[in-house]
Amino acid sequence: MNETSSSRPLMVGPQQRSRTFAEASPVVAGYFTVSFVFGLMAVNAGMPVWLPVAMCLFVYAGASQFAALALITSGASLTTIVLTTFLINARHMLMSVYMAKALQAMGLSRLERWCYAGGLTDESFAFHSVKLGKGAPVNVRYLIGFNLYCHTSWVLGGLLGAICAQYAAHLIKYQLDYALTAMMLYVLVSLCNTRNKLIGALAAVACMGALSLVGSSPFNVFIATFVGCGVGVCLTKRS
């Protein structure tokens, strides 16, 4: 982020909190729905009500939580569960490196960096990296507040889903497993605001489709992401 953007006036107090929540609301709604489904599935799989809530609070990783749930119910070893979740979340190391560099100009304290890193997800990374790239005026309260709204909705969704599965399972008749895909599509479409970004996204989608036809592998996502980013970088350099 350049110096001119960091020196622009920022909203404070209730006005800033309202703006932060408004920008986070699409992610908040998606997270609540997805974690609600996770809470339902976890309790239906025989877990106590508190366990999915604890996973939402301390793990806070949708794909990893669902993968761990499937592995636990299938009787997989602890080593398998740990390695699988590590592989799924390995992308966060790259996102963290990028955000650490992007946030240097803001002069965050060590505590603030830890608080922000603890709430960094795919969706918050997408929103924040674009905002910082455009030089939009943001501060640490906005960044951490955005993540806090999202994390809170994730925990509350898991709690409500677990309670409903425990005490009101007969009232839950809707299929909500599309929620994560729908939320990611929303984020993708909202970020494709230029021709180069659209071409890069389409390249990643095409690559993922081709790899899926060849075979299913957890590395397909990383390869498709690399291809999409490579196309985007090449187009940016040419323009």
Side-chain angles (χ1 to χ4, degrees), residues 1-62:
M1 183 175 63
N2 54 46
E3 293 181 359
T4 58
S5 65
S6 61
S7 62
R8 292 166 61 183
L10 293 164
M11 291 180 285
V12 296
Q15 188 179 12
Q16 178 174 320
R17 289 194 293 269
S18 298
R19 187 200 69 166
T20 302
F21 182 78
E23 295 189 7
S25 58
V27 180
V28 166
Y31 277 12
F32 182 87
T33 306
V34 174
S35 62
F36 180 86
V37 175
F38 175 75
L40 283 175
M41 293 176 61
V43 173
N44 287 336
M47 295 183 178
V49 173
W50 63 267
L51 186 54
V53 180
M55 291 181 71
C56 287
L57 181 61
F58 296 108
V59 179
Y60 190 33

Side-chain angles (χ1 to χ4, degrees), residues 98 125-136 191 193 197:
Y98 176 88
F125 171 79
F127 274 93
H128 296 165
S129 60
V130 170
K131 186 174 285 289
L132 290 169
K134 291 180 178 179
L191 294 178
N193 53 1
K197 291 180 181 179

Side-chain angles (χ1 to χ4, degrees), residues 59-183:
V59 179
Y60 190 33
S64 294
Q65 289 181 213
F66 281 100
L69 177 61
L71 292 171
I72 292 172
T73 54
S74 65
S77 66
L78 179 61
T79 302
T80 300
I81 296 173
V82 172
L83 289 178
T84 301
T85 54
F86 174 79
L87 179 61
I88 293 174
N89 287 328
R91 67 191 185 281
H92 284 274
M93 291 188 287
L94 297 177
M95 292 192 298
S96 297
V97 170
Y98 176 88
M99 291 305 298
K101 183 177 181 180
L103 296 175
Q104 280 182 348
M106 295 181 63
L108 274 64
S109 67
R110 178 175 296 182
L111 177 60
E112 290 169 340
R113 291 197 300 269
W114 277 100
C115 289
Y116 178 77
L120 184 64
T121 63
D122 296 321
E123 291 73 24
S124 63
F125 171 79
F127 274 93
H128 296 165
S129 60
V130 170
K131 186 174 285 289
L132 290 169
K134 291 180 178 179
V138 296
N139 60 15
V140 65
R141 290 185 178 181
Y142 166 81
L143 296 171
I144 296 179
F146 186 105
N147 290 352
L148 184 60
Y149 283 131
C150 296
H151 196 177
T152 301
S153 69
W154 184 258
V155 175
L156 291 178
L159 173 62
L160 184 60
I163 292 175
C164 288
Q166 182 75 17
Y167 302 107
H170 62 286
L171 299 177
I172 307 299
K173 300 182 182 298
Y174 299 102
Q175 296 293 327
L176 300 175
D177 51 350
Y178 65 87
L180 183 59
T181 302
M183 180 179 59

